[in-house]
Amino acid sequence: MAKIIAVANQKGGVGKTTTAVNLAAALAVAEMRTLLVDADPQANATSGVGIQRGSFRRSLYHAIVLGEQLDNIIHSTELPLLKVLPSDRNLAGAEIELVEIEKREYKLQELLQKVRSDYDYVIIDCPPSLGLLTLNALTAADSLIVPIQCEYYALEGVTELFDTLARIRRLLNPGLTIEGLLLTMYDERTNLSSAVASDLRDFYGQQVFETLIPRNVRLAEAPSYGKPIILYDIRSRGAESYLLLAKEVIAHDKKSTRAGFERTAVGGVNGDFGGGTSPN
């Protein structure tokens, strides 16, 4: 049964799609059956794994709004264990068309339940806003990865994000946890990157991934070739970082399973957002 992970941040330009694409690819290389769901109408995750715009006739829009079967929509990629549920510009209309539909926040959850047993991981790339598509993703997800650019304003946005997650847990998805806060565009040459990383680790502790995603030219080039970084340049620092991130995610899953057995043995406990202390 797949673990569903949403990659989201209300702030744009933080490496959200880069993380969704390259984490999904790294998980596939680690022999995990992986489905990448492109829930962003910009469709950058779709093109980022080599599915060219205009080369397919059905997308997530046709499944989530029109009820078409996912088997007719999911595409294969260059990596044998990586599949993609593509997006296109039609998905922008879903924000409007879903408004009057009953239980509109649960449409993606209902879709993914039908294929969940076919995968080990489902990675959802969310739009950079808190609209109905992102709400659908967070309602469907078991956990959330939050990419955070190493800059001052990112620190201010984290508190707002946790407030949003608290409301989503209360109203839509009580089981949603934080998989981790991921520091992106890290530049070890600058004091600012180091300071932001230090502050986040001091405040959020184990909720911050050990892996740092560096500023890397090869990582920035890869999308223009329609390839994840591990296919574009496996020896780059960007590829190494996302392989390490995949290793952390898999380790989290194994640790969570062990903890679940331990909690069951002592009668069960209820946790916060997982991984560390919630700021709420």
Side-chain angles (χ1 to χ4, degrees), residues 223-275:
S224 64
Y225 291 87
K227 293 181 180 292
I229 186 61
I230 57 173
L231 292 179
Y232 181 63
D233 188 351
I234 187 65
R235 292 171 294 184
S236 67
R237 291 182 63 208
E240 179 184 0
S241 295
Y242 277 109
L243 288 168
L244 288 172
L245 177 63
K247 185 176 180 180
E248 270 199 80
V249 168
I250 294 169
H252 283 185
D253 217 16
K254 292 178 179 178
K255 182 178 179 181
S256 176
T257 300
R258 289 196 300 270
F261 287 136
E262 293 169 1
R263 286 197 295 269
T264 300
V266 298
V269 297
N270 292 319
D272 267 328
F273 277 114

Side-chain angles (χ1 to χ4, degrees), residues 166-228:
R167 289 194 294 272
I168 289 171
R169 287 193 68 186
R170 185 172 64 252
L171 299 173
L172 298 171
N173 185 1
L176 182 64
T177 64
I178 291 289
E179 189 72 29
L181 307 179
L182 178 65
L183 291 161
T184 63
M185 305 179 193
Y186 181 81
D187 189 343
E188 60 189 10
R189 299 168 300 179
T190 68
N191 292 332
L192 179 59
S193 284
S194 298
V196 170
S198 178
D199 287 348
L200 280 170
R201 293 192 192 283
D202 286 345
F203 197 83
Y204 293 102
Q206 293 182 353
Q207 287 182 311
V208 182
F209 282 109
E210 288 295 323
T211 302
L212 298 167
I213 307 301
R215 286 191 180 275
N216 181 252
V217 173
R218 304 297 278 175
L219 192 59
E221 290 173 347
S224 64
Y225 291 87
K227 293 181 180 292

